[in-house]
């Protein structure tokens, strides 16, 4: 039994490490492509215990058979070697299996309860003007396995048309990709390998990549990046006030993690190509690491958008590569200062206290320094 756990642990570690190294070497940046790769890794992880237990065993003869003349003691026939031998679990193996089953059953029970409640959510959702709504939703959510549907909060009529279009496009992309079904399997994989940190990391990674892929799809349809970022911030605030995106136990749409998310838009008056905007956004993302500690953890959903108004051409600035470097470096500096200014200007909410309310003396000293 210990050998099975050890074998699965090592194989999962090697599988995750090899995939991460391969993605890094191939410089895969597209969120949808990375999501497909890690989904394949998750499928292999789910098949790993079955393969490790029932895979065909092949025995190789290493040494020549011992001559009968040199053998001492009773000779064991081939049939006796293949005879099944009943082995009892030792106390250590029994304890190991018991601990594993407890963790597995807790997570599977939580997943089952969430699945049942999700079915009830779909059943009792109210259809209003072609839109399904539920009082349990603090923000739009896509649920369902084979026929996914989008459920909106009851206040969706108060939204502007541009916001409604952007959010609808985001959730429709979730439904097209069957992200709710894949996330359910990710939670099942986490329950099977609950003892392995890679399973928890993989579940969070798949969730984050799915959101990023849907965000990219929304922007690819021509939606304004600044308005869409404002929509995400507003949704994050509503989820933070309610404490959860969906008030259902066991669901893979926790809203509390949105409190760890920082969304930024870096704008320049230089005309940018898609490749240049991506590079500047990546460089500007370093500004988050200068102002936020820790950052870039598996529990963050930090996103940086870059856009250019096109008033100045990149060619007029000289070498395009050097100009891109200067803009990206300045973007990182500006973003780090913007984070600090936002923290000082933030107000407390019903769920969270602001930095100035938590540390009034430090905030007062910082404000005095800024006024000077």
């Amino acid at each position: 039994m210990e050998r099975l756990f050890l074998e699965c642990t090592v194989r999962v570690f090697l599988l995750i490490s090899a995939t991460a190294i391969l993605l890094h070497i191939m410089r895969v940046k597209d969120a949808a492509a990375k999501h497909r790769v890690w989904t394949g890794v998750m499928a292999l992880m789910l098949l790993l215990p079955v393969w490790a237990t029932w895979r065909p065993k092949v025995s190789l003869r290493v040494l020549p058979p011992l001559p009968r003349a040199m053998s001492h003691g009773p000779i064991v026939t081939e049939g006796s070697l293949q005879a099944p031998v009943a082995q009892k679990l030792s106390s250590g193996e029994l304890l190991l299996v018991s601990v594993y089953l407890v963790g597995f059953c807790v997570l599977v029970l939580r997943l089952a309860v969430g699945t049942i409640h999700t079915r009830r959510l779909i059943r009792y959702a109210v259809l209003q003007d072609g839109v399904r709504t539920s009082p349990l939703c603090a923000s739009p959510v896509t649920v369902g396995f084979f026929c996914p549907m989008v459920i909106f909060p009851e206040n969706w009529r108060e939204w502007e048309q541009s916001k409604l279009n952007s959010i609808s496009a985001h959730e429709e992309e979730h439904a097209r990709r069957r992200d709710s079904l894949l996330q359910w399997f990710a939670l099942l994989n986490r329950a099977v390998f609950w003892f392995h940190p890679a399973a928890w990391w993989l579940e969070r990674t798949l969730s984050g990549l799915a959101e990023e892929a849907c965000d990219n799809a929304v922007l690819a349809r021509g939606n304004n990046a600044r308005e869409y970022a404002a929509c995400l911030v507003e949704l994050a605030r509503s989820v933070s006030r309610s404490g959860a995106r969906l008030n259902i136990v066991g669901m893979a749409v926790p809203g509390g993690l949105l409190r760890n998310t920082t969304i930024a838009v870096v704008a320049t008056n230089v005309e940018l190509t898609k490749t240049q905007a991506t590079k500047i956004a990546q460089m500007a993302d370093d500004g988050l690491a200068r102002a936020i500690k820790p950052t870039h953890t598996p529990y963050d959903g930090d996103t940086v958008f870059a856009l250019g108004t096109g008033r100045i051409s990149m060619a007029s600035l000289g070498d395009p590569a050097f100009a891109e470097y200067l803009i990206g470096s300045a973007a990182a500096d500006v973003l780090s200062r913007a984070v600090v200014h936002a923290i000082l200007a933030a107000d407390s909410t019903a769920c969270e206290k602001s930095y100035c309310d938590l540390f009034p003396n430090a905030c007062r000293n910082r404000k005095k320094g800024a006024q000077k």
Side-chain angles (χ1 to χ4, degrees):
M1 185 59 64
E2 295 96 334
R3 182 177 179 179
L4 177 61
F5 279 99
L6 180 60
E7 182 178 352
C8 291
T9 301
V10 173
R11 289 181 181 271
V12 167
F13 174 77
L14 294 177
L15 181 61
I16 295 290
S17 302
T19 304
I21 294 174
L22 184 61
L23 290 175
H24 178 73
I25 293 176
M26 298 182 64
R27 299 185 181 276
V28 179
K29 300 297 183 181
D30 184 61
K34 294 169 67 175
H35 186 271
R36 288 191 293 268
V37 172
W38 288 116
T39 300
V41 171
M42 177 193 66
L44 292 177
M45 288 180 60
L46 287 173
L47 295 175
L48 186 58
V50 179
W51 172 258
T53 305
W54 287 289
R55 71 177 185 271
K57 304 294 192 302
V58 178
S59 58
L60 299 178
R61 187 185 298 275
V62 179
L63 298 176
L66 188 64
R68 291 180 177 271
M70 297 179 58
S71 60
H72 300 281
I75 299 177
V76 182
T77 62
E78 184 179 358
S80 62
L81 287 175
Q82 297 179 352
V85 179
Q87 296 180 356
K88 294 183 178 180
L89 295 178
S90 62
S91 58
E93 291 178 336
L94 187 59
L95 177 62
L96 180 63
V97 173
S98 301
V99 172
Y100 171 79
L101 290 179
V102 169
F104 174 76
C105 292
V106 169
L107 292 178
V108 168
L109 179 62
R110 189 172 186 271
L111 179 59
V113 171
T115 304
I116 295 174
H117 287 178
T118 302
R119 298 299 301 174
R120 292 180 179 176
L121 174 68
I122 297 175
R123 181 181 303 174
Y124 295 110
V126 180
L127 185 62
Q128 299 177 351
D129 299 333
V131 177
R132 296 184 182 273
T133 63
S134 173
L136 297 176
C137 297
S139 67
V141 61
T142 302
V143 293
F145 293 159
F146 304 105
C147 297
M149 63 180 60
V150 181
I151 300 179
F152 285 79
E154 293 181 326
N155 63 339
W156 67 274
R157 289 191 178 87
E158 304 174 3
W159 297 349
E160 298 180 357
Q161 187 62 37
S162 59
K163 176 181 177 180
L164 181 60
N165 293 338
S166 300
I167 295 177
S168 299
H170 179 97
E171 297 300 331
E172 288 173 0
E173 185 67 15
H174 274 306
R176 185 190 68 83
R177 292 163 43 88
R178 299 291 193 274
D179 284 332
S180 56
L181 176 61
L182 296 178
Q183 200 62 26
W184 189 90
F185 277 108
L187 290 173
L188 178 62
N189 181 71
R190 189 185 68 176
V192 175
F193 293 95
W194 65 266
F195 57 90
H196 204 302
W200 298 78
W201 174 85
L202 184 59
E203 186 268 326
R204 297 291 184 181
T205 299
L206 287 174
S207 177
L209 289 175
E211 295 296 333
E212 185 178 350
C214 293
D215 291 339
N216 294 337
V218 172
L219 298 178
R221 296 184 181 184
N223 293 277
N224 186 274
R226 181 177 298 181
E227 294 179 356
Y228 182 60
C231 292
L232 295 179
V233 173
E234 186 176 349
L235 288 178
R237 289 175 178 172
S238 63
V239 171
S240 179
R241 288 192 296 267
S242 63
R245 183 179 178 184
L246 188 61
N247 296 322
I248 291 181
V249 178
M251 281 301 299
V253 286
L257 294 177
L258 291 176
R259 291 176 288 183
N260 300 328
T261 298
T262 303
I263 301 174
V265 178
V266 177
T268 177
N269 59 353
V270 180
E271 183 180 2
L272 301 176
T273 63
K274 183 177 181 180
T275 303
Q276 292 170 340
T278 301
K279 183 60 178 179
I280 291 175
Q282 292 174 351
M283 296 181 65
D285 189 62
D286 294 338
L288 297 180
R290 302 175 188 176
I292 303 174
K293 295 181 180 179
T295 187
H296 301 150
T297 68
Y299 306 102
D300 298 336
D302 302 335
T303 304
V304 178
F305 298 92
L307 56 91
T309 60
R311 294 182 180 179
I312 301 177
S313 63
M314 182 70 76
S316 64
L317 300 179
D319 183 11
F322 186 71
E324 180 182 321
Y325 156 74
L326 292 179
I327 296 174
S329 178
D333 294 336
V334 171
L335 182 55
S336 63
R337 293 180 60 85
V339 171
V340 176
H341 291 167
I343 292 175
L344 294 177
D347 297 326
S348 298
T349 64
C351 301
E352 298 291 337
K353 289 187 176 181
S354 65
Y355 178 83
C356 291
D357 288 341
L358 290 175
F359 309 100
N361 295 331
C363 187
R364 183 168 57 252
N365 294 337
R366 289 175 181 270
K367 287 186 176 181
K368 289 182 179 179
Q371 294 176 355
K372 293 181 180 179

